[in-house]
């Protein structure tokens, strides 16, 4: 990335990370706090944890489309303001219903798609994957930091104070948006990051993509459900008060992040993606079973959390990569939009169902229910075909080229395995093996001067 792109990507990643940090910070501490709220029930506890996921799932794609019409920054600003208002509502509420409304408002500030569109406006295609990876790392780091810092902040300012802090961070993010993020020279539709209405039928009828969408829904459902029960396990069964629970998460998360690296390398570089993928789902099931059956043992709880977070981190890293490789090359943005919607909806379902299970069957009901979901996912994923390790590239076609004749010609070139030409955009999308690719033949056919990788 050049200096201008770095100046754009770093603050965008920061805004994205702060917003996700705000959503994650209450995960490790909210369950215990909610017991003191009016109208508390276990079911409403779960609903409060997951409420943001429902509104975010419903609104993120429409907000992305709105940003195409009225501009990226106005939509992002409005979303951050709504997020801040939701945080204030939650902070001022002494009823579980008020927190549910606040969390739903937080999710209504659904700026993910608009942020990705702004990122695309400010980066070249050949560096966009690196920019998106930076955002992914930021989100993952936000989750880790939240689990460690959340209990410490709870001891210092309380959960309502955390909500106030989240609101302040959202308002500061608006300042970062206008002070540090450049205005794009022009905004356009980017097929690699944005959803197109006409592509949903193609994406939703693809069984391989649906398996991945189902997977991320289940993964986030289990993760959210765990935090309905886990704070009570640590407090009531292991006698660890909230302020000290951070010291349980810290070593587990650090070691899990170290262990995940060789597993991802094995999956990506050694051609063991399916084996690592299915093993990780199995580890999720084993971890939840340990937490359900042996939650009175510190060793078993720590071991279960370790297995869970290793598998969770591996799956969170590999699922988007698989979506990118399996999606039609000219509809990656739509595929990712459906994937993100499934991800957020999973958080909602996990909270709602986890709360119900806790109310009826105590903590073991939550964990054993999660085992059932993981086993179901394993059965669905077992029939999945893993994509070949090929690269997607986007090429700008010369304006005088005969677009209707390009696709057959491209498919005859060595190293080209998939081709899609969009004549109205003077663009060709290819999936290729770069080691085999006859680039000179591609250049000659398309009349282009340089490649821009997606």
């Amino acid at each position: 990335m050049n200096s201008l792109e770095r100046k754009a990507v770093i603050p965008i990643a920061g805004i994205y990370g702060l917003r996700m940090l705000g959503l994650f910070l209450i995960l490790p501490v909210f369950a215990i706090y909610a017991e003191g709220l009016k109208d508390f029930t276990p079911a409403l506890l779960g609903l409060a944890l997951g409420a943001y996921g429902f509104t975010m799932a419903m609104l993120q794609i429409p907000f992305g489309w709105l940003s195409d019409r009225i501009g990226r920054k106005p939509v992002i600003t409005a979303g951050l303001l709504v997020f801040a208002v939701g945080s204030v509502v939650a902070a001022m509420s002494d009823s579980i219903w008020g927190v549910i409304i606040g969390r739903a408002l937080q999710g209504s500030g659904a700026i993910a798609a608009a942020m990705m569109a702004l990122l695309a406006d400010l980066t070249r295609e050949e560096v966009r994957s690196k920019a998106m990876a930076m955002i992914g790392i930021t989100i993952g780091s936000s989750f880790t930091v939240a689990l460690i810092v959340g209990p410490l902040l709870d001891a210092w300012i309380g959960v309502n104070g955390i909500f106030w802090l989240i609101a302040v961070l959202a308002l500061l993010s608006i300042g970062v948006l206008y002070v540090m993020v450049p205005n794009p020279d022009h905004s356009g539709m980017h097929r690699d990051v944005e959803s197109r209405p006409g592509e949903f039928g193609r994406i939703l009828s693809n069984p391989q993509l649906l398996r991945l969408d189902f997977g991320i829904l289940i993964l986030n459902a289990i993760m959210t459900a765990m935090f309905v029960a886990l704070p009570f396990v640590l407090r009531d069964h292991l006698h660890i008060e909230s302020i000290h629970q951070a010291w349980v998460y810290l070593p587990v998360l650090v070691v899990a992040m170290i262990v995940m690296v060789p597993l991802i390398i094995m999956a990506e570089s050694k051609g063991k993606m399916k084996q690592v993928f299915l093993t990780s789902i199995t580890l999720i099931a084993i971890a939840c079973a340990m937490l359900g059956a042996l939650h009175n043992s510190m060793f078993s709880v720590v071991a279960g959390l370790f297995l869970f977070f290793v598998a969770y981190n591996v799956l969170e890293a590999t699922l988007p990569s698989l979506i990118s490789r399996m999606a039609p090359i000219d509809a990656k943005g739509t595929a990712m939009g459906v994937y993100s919607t499934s991800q957020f909806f999973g958080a909602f379902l996990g909270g709602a169902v986890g709360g119900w299970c806790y109310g009826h069957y105590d903590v073991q009901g939550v964990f054993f229910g999660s085992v059932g979901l993981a086993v179901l996912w394993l059965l669905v994923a077992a029939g999945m075909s893993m994509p070949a390790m090929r690269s997607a590239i986007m090429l700008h076609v010369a304006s005088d080229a005969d677009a209707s004749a390009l696709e057959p010609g491209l498919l005859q070139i060595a190293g080209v395995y998939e081709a899609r030409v969009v004549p109205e955009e003077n663009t060709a999308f290819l999936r290729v093996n770069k080691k085999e690719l006859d680039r000179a033949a591609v250049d000659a056919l398309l009349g282009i001067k340089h490649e821009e990788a997606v």
Side-chain angles (χ1 to χ4, degrees):
M1 286 185 282
N2 60 39
S3 60
L4 290 176
E5 287 167 331
R6 284 193 296 271
K7 288 179 180 178
V9 172
I10 291 172
I12 288 175
I15 293 169
Y16 214 121
L18 285 175
R19 181 171 171 276
M20 297 311 295
L21 179 66
L23 290 170
F24 294 146
L25 271 174
I26 74 160
L27 277 179
V29 297
F30 182 73
I32 293 173
Y33 168 78
E35 283 186 309
L37 295 174
K38 294 179 183 177
D39 303 318
F40 168 84
T41 67
L44 293 180
L45 157 64
L47 189 59
L49 272 179
Y52 81 93
F54 181 81
T55 49
M56 195 176 292
M58 296 299 102
L59 295 173
Q60 61 136 352
I61 290 177
F63 274 26
W65 292 339
L66 183 63
S67 77
D68 288 333
R69 293 179 175 272
I70 69 172
R72 315 300 190 199
K73 288 189 177 182
V75 170
I76 295 168
T77 301
L80 288 170
L81 286 172
V82 171
F83 182 79
V85 169
S87 302
V88 171
V89 169
M92 297 180 65
S93 297
D94 59 1
S95 162
I96 190 73
W97 286 108
V99 177
I100 290 171
I101 293 170
R103 290 284 279 174
L105 282 171
Q106 283 184 321
S108 297
I111 61 172
M115 290 287 289
M116 294 306 296
L118 178 60
L119 181 79
D121 289 339
L122 292 168
T123 56
R124 293 163 295 153
E125 289 88 347
E126 64 262 34
V127 301
R128 195 165 297 148
S129 59
K130 294 180 181 178
M132 293 174 67
M134 287 180 63
I135 289 180
I137 292 170
T138 302
I139 294 172
S141 300
S142 297
F143 178 73
T144 301
V145 169
L147 294 190
I148 298 167
V149 174
L152 302 177
L153 285 175
D154 179 33
W156 181 31
I157 58 176
V159 172
N160 59 336
I162 293 175
F163 279 124
W164 281 111
L165 176 62
I166 293 168
V168 171
L169 291 176
L171 296 177
L172 290 176
S173 295
I174 295 174
V176 171
L177 178 67
Y178 284 94
V179 173
M180 299 183 66
V181 179
N183 292 315
D185 293 331
H186 65 276
S187 294
M189 175 67 197
H190 305 278
R191 288 173 176 260
D192 56 329
V193 298
E194 294 187 73
S195 300
R196 292 174 62 90
E199 301 289 351
F200 284 115
R202 188 155 54 126
I203 298 303
L204 294 173
S205 62
N206 186 316
Q208 299 297 333
L209 292 176
L210 288 178
R211 282 188 172 96
L212 297 176
D213 296 332
F214 180 77
I216 193 61
L217 183 149
I218 295 298
L219 182 62
N220 276 266
I222 292 173
M223 186 273 288
T224 307
M226 282 189 63
F227 286 99
V228 172
L230 193 55
F232 295 120
V233 168
L234 296 178
R235 185 194 68 179
D236 299 336
H237 296 268
L238 300 181
H239 311 294
I240 302 172
E241 293 302 321
S242 178
I243 186 174
H244 301 301
Q245 291 178 10
W247 309 119
V248 176
Y249 295 123
L250 177 59
V252 169
L253 289 166
V254 170
V255 177
M257 290 180 69
I258 294 171
V259 172
M260 71 170 275
V261 174
L263 292 175
I264 292 177
I265 292 174
M266 184 187 302
E268 296 282 355
S269 303
K270 306 297 183 181
K272 302 292 185 181
M273 177 64 78
K274 188 165 186 176
Q275 293 92 323
V276 171
F277 191 80
L278 296 180
T279 298
S280 297
I281 300 173
T282 303
L283 289 178
I284 292 280
I286 292 171
C288 292
M290 290 178 65
L291 292 168
L294 304 170
H295 52 264
N296 291 312
S297 163
M298 172 66 82
F299 175 81
S300 297
V301 169
V302 170
L305 288 176
F306 170 72
L307 293 178
F308 176 83
F309 285 120
V310 168
Y312 177 82
N313 288 333
V314 169
L315 291 166
E316 277 283 345
T318 55
L319 278 164
S321 173
L322 289 172
I323 285 281
S324 180
R325 291 176 192 162
M326 290 185 180
I329 49 177
D330 60 327
K332 286 171 59 180
T334 305
M336 288 304 300
V338 174
Y339 171 86
S340 296
T341 298
S342 303
Q343 183 176 28
F344 296 132
F345 195 63
F348 166 70
L349 285 179
V353 176
W356 183 88
C357 289
Y358 177 57
H360 286 78
Y361 305 106
D362 203 36
V363 294
Q364 59 265 35
V366 177
F367 293 125
F368 287 135
S370 297
V371 173
L373 289 178
V375 171
L376 178 60
W377 181 14
L378 188 62
L379 294 174
V380 171
M384 185 169 60
S385 299
M386 290 295 163
M389 297 292 290
R390 292 171 183 153
S391 301
I393 61 174
M394 186 174 80
L395 306 171
H396 294 294
V397 181
S399 58
D400 58 350
D402 182 3
S404 62
L406 291 179
E407 284 185 21
L410 288 166
L411 291 171
Q412 297 299 315
I413 296 174
V416 178
Y417 290 88
E418 188 178 352
R420 176 79 168 89
V421 177
V422 184
E424 63 271 19
E425 298 177 11
N426 291 114
T427 304
F429 299 86
L430 308 179
R431 186 162 279 126
V432 305
N433 183 324
K434 289 189 174 182
K435 294 181 179 179
E436 302 172 357
L437 182 63
D438 184 349
R439 184 53 200 271
V442 172
D443 288 346
L445 180 62
L446 298 183
I448 62 174
K449 296 180 180 180
H450 60 277
E451 171 188 332
E452 295 183 279
V454 177

